[in-house]
Amino acid sequence: MKNHNINKIWHTLATPTPTKKFTEELIAELPAPVQRYFSHAITPGTPLATGVKLTMEGKFRASPDKWLTMQGEEILTAKGFVWKALIGSGLFHLKGADYYYNGAGKVEFKIWGLIPFVKAINTDTTRSSIARCGGELFWLPSALLPQQGVSWQAINDDTIQASFQIDGEPVNLTLLIDENGKVLQAKLPRWGNQTTDKTWSYLPFGGKLSAETTFDGLTIPSEIAAGWYVETDSYYEFFQATIKQAEFF
């Protein structure tokens, strides 16, 4: 993965488009629990951001018994994302990125940023990357408004589900919220091969969101712990992160 390619995608996604401002009228037709989520997440009068730049730190699980430190930055929109990260430190660290953009997903990390460690670019990686993009839109709540082509339903008073497509791939994002509309958990079916025979299929993916922070009128989860097979006995948590900064555009 050449850095200039990643940087080009990053800057393309970062190009802002004209936005309107959030009003309660935009969510007036939604089920009450969904309205509660948006009213909590977006302050009236806040510009409807088309993207967000995130700075994060945390841990990444490299093997069942080995966690490595992680520092990352991400740009996220409803059309794609780029996540650049440094995983590990000292004598062993991985540097690289993964992304979804314009119908293609790719993952590539190198030891010390030089020696190939993992590289994946194929239709399965693309499908999995689309789910990651859609599944992280709780960091960009304005992208989940019904005016963006998102269909909402309330499963019950504290469980809501957003259904939409990214380049033809369906995304069904389920959020657990509290009485104030704060997001406590997110989950969705994600294409993956974390199976005993390494075959690809839709697997339960998601995690807990244990804290939130307000940035420029948008309140988003700022503590996340996520993994495969969420809400099952096989849950494998591999990602923990704290959002240090969010810049909406």
Side-chain angles (χ1 to χ4, degrees), residues 92 100 105 118 133 136 174 194-195 206 215:
F92 178 81
Y100 173 76
V118 61
C133 181
E136 293 185 354
T174 301
Q194 284 68 27
T195 55
F215 301 93

Side-chain angles (χ1 to χ4, degrees), residues 90-107:
L91 295 178
F92 178 81
H93 65 266
L94 304 171
K95 187 175 182 180
D98 60 1
Y99 72 82
Y100 173 76
Y101 175 71
N102 197 28
K106 186 175 184 179
V107 180

Side-chain angles (χ1 to χ4, degrees), residues 13-210:
L13 290 174
T15 303
T17 57
T19 62
K20 299 180 180 180
K21 294 184 178 181
F22 179 70
T23 65
E24 295 290 342
E25 287 75 14
L26 295 176
I27 59 173
E29 302 300 319
L30 295 174
V34 182
Q35 291 188 42
R36 191 167 84 243
Y37 160 68
F38 279 114
S39 295
H40 180 78
I42 312 177
T43 302
T46 300
L48 298 180
T50 59
V52 61
K53 299 175 185 177
L54 302 166
T55 302
M56 65 185 72
E57 61 182 34
K59 296 180 180 180
F60 190 89
R61 197 174 193 174
S63 64
D65 59 352
K66 189 174 183 61
W67 285 87
L68 301 175
T69 59
M70 179 275 295
Q71 294 178 317
E73 56 180 347
E74 179 172 354
I75 188 164
L76 173 69
T77 77
K79 297 181 179 180
F81 76 94
V82 175
W83 181 63
K84 298 187 287 187
L86 175 65
I87 298 172
S89 60
L91 295 178
F92 178 81
H93 65 266
L94 304 171
K95 187 175 182 180
D98 60 1
Y99 72 82
Y100 173 76
Y101 175 71
N102 197 28
K106 186 175 184 179
V107 180
E108 185 173 357
F109 280 84
K110 297 179 179 181
I111 300 172
W112 309 312
L114 300 171
I115 303 172
F117 181 77
V118 61
K119 181 178 181 179
I121 179 168
N122 52 51
T123 56
D124 290 315
T125 300
T126 294
R127 183 177 289 183
S128 184
S129 297
I130 289 176
R132 172 176 175 172
C133 181
E136 293 185 354
L137 288 180
F138 51 74
W139 280 326
L140 184 61
S142 49
L144 293 174
L145 286 165
Q147 291 76 17
Q148 305 304 318
V150 180
S151 175
W152 280 96
Q153 64 171 316
I155 297 174
N156 54 49
D157 192 55
D158 58 10
T159 308
I160 59 178
Q161 186 176 82
S163 298
F164 52 98
Q165 292 189 356
I166 297 178
D167 293 335
E169 176 71 13
V171 178
N172 294 293
L173 175 62
T174 301
L175 303 178
L176 177 67
I177 59 175
D178 70 7
E179 66 276 10
N180 297 314
K182 174 186 176 181
V183 181
L184 305 176
Q185 185 185 64
K187 62 180 180 178
L188 78 164
R190 182 179 178 184
W191 194 249
N193 67 339
Q194 284 68 27
T195 55
T196 54
D197 59 1
K198 295 300 180 181
T199 57
W200 289 81
S201 63
Y202 285 105
L203 305 173
F205 184 88
K208 294 182 178 180
L209 307 167
S210 55

